[in-house]
Amino acid sequence: KNIFVKIVYCIVKYNFLICSANIFLGEHLFKHACNRFKKINNAKIIPVGADSRLFTDCVPKVLSGSDVLNILYCGNMGRLHDVTTITQLLTDQTWISKKKICFEFCANGTGFNILQKNLKTNNNKNNIEILLGGNLTDTNWASKMKKAHIALVTIANGGENVLMPSKTYSAMVAGQAILAICPLNSDLASTVKKHDCGWIVAPGDINGLKKVFNEIFINDELLLRKRKNSFCAGHKYYGNNAISAKWEKVCLEVKRKF
């Protein structure tokens, strides 16, 4: 192995042994670290969570037949986020949306640069509108989140051992169903499955992604149920009160050791 990798490995392993608290963002990330480093002391799992106070008035409502289905990707889109699957869907000339649908990408990063090269802003082609934008101000971000019905959240193969996208929790407290394009053995997939708050598609599964959209198009009640599940779980488990309580407990435990 590269000597630099060995040095970093030893530093991380040492820290896992001596730290008073080792915080992991999800169960899968914790198990992966255990498999790699064998022993981790004082481990706790605390999700990133979200500021739920901004979205207390976002209880989902059923869409009317004339409403545009808004799908939002908001935040960083780096090398560990899957870009290929959604690009292939949106450039597939044979795929026609059965409902007016808007894909909006407010993002930054290497993955977003790739997306921009492959997609063009597209108005009402096959009932599909594509909007490509950059970073948002806090006010614009909150407004976009409240208008979106579905959050697009992605992880590339291999990324499941490194990250859990924090945008998931913001989308949940805003009442968005989660369309997760990610490895099935990831914290993202586990969260969506646990709360029945969206759909999970493996990277590269274009047919699976089309099947999800066909399901969404014909079943408004299903979309509403998953959005409500997302909203309720987001505020109950990942909002300010829930996450701050977990951190308070950890801080008290650490304090007692000194």
Side-chain angles (χ1 to χ4, degrees):
K1 290 182 179 180
N2 184 291
I3 186 64
F4 177 75
V5 174
K6 289 184 177 180
I7 292 172
V8 172
Y9 175 88
C10 291
I11 293 173
V12 174
K13 183 175 183 178
Y14 178 70
N15 284 330
F16 278 153
L17 295 175
I18 67 166
C19 284
S20 299
N22 288 294
I23 309 299
F24 291 87
L25 303 183
E27 185 72 29
H28 175 82
L29 292 174
F30 172 57
K31 290 180 178 179
H32 175 73
C34 288
N35 289 336
R36 185 79 187 274
F37 296 97
K38 306 308 177 186
K39 185 177 181 180
I40 299 175
N41 293 330
N42 306 311
K44 304 290 181 182
I45 297 174
I46 304 180
V48 173
D51 189 349
S52 54
R53 297 169 298 181
L54 298 172
F55 304 105
T56 55
D57 59 343
C58 290
V59 179
K61 298 178 181 179
V62 68
L63 276 66
S64 69
S66 61
D67 286 338
V68 176
L69 180 63
N70 292 315
I71 299 178
L72 177 65
Y73 186 104
C74 195
N76 182 59
M77 184 182 281
R79 297 183 185 278
L80 295 178
H81 297 93
D82 179 87
V83 179
T84 304
T85 308
I86 192 67
T87 301
Q88 289 179 345
L89 178 75
L90 294 179
T91 55
D92 185 344
Q93 299 299 316
T94 66
W95 185 63
I96 300 175
S97 174
K98 298 176 183 177
K99 180 177 290 189
K100 290 182 179 179
I101 184 170
C102 176
F103 288 88
E104 185 164 10
F105 299 87
C106 301
N108 60 75
T110 302
F112 184 57
N113 294 335
I114 295 172
L115 187 76
Q116 287 181 302
K117 291 179 181 178
N118 289 282
L119 294 181
K120 295 181 179 179
T121 301
N122 184 329
N123 292 312
N124 300 320
K125 181 180 180 181
N126 295 338
N127 265 346
I128 301 168
E129 182 178 16
I130 300 172
L131 302 177
L132 302 173
N135 293 327
L136 299 169
T137 64
D138 290 345
T139 301
N140 288 340
W141 173 79
S143 177
K144 294 282 188 186
M145 293 292 286
K146 290 180 180 181
K147 292 178 181 178
H149 307 116
I150 297 175
L152 177 63
V153 186
T154 73
I155 301 177
N157 285 322
E160 73 276 12
N161 298 327
V162 181
L163 82 160
M164 167 60 195
S166 59
K167 61 175 68 68
T168 307
Y169 306 114
S170 297
M172 290 178 71
V173 298
Q176 301 168 24
I178 309 299
L179 175 51
I181 302 177
C182 64
L184 304 183
N185 61 331
S186 63
D187 286 310
L188 175 55
S190 297
T191 300
V192 173
K193 184 176 180 180
K194 177 181 179 180
H195 300 298
D196 188 23
C197 61
W199 299 265
I200 306 162
V201 178
D205 185 5
I206 306 301
N207 289 332
L209 188 55
K210 290 180 180 179
K211 184 178 179 180
V212 165
F213 277 110
N214 287 336
E215 187 177 55
I216 293 171
F217 294 150
I218 65 174
N219 196 335
D220 291 336
E221 289 299 322
L222 176 64
L223 173 59
L224 180 62
R225 177 170 62 81
K226 289 185 181 290
R227 291 182 64 205
K228 285 184 174 179
N229 289 347
S230 187
F231 179 83
C232 292
H235 284 264
K236 183 175 181 179
Y237 299 110
Y238 308 112
N240 302 75
N241 292 337
I243 299 302
S244 60
K246 290 178 181 291
W247 276 105
E248 182 179 13
K249 184 178 179 180
V250 169
C251 290
L252 289 174
E253 290 176 359
V254 171
K255 184 177 179 181
R256 293 190 192 104
K257 295 177 182 180
F258 293 95

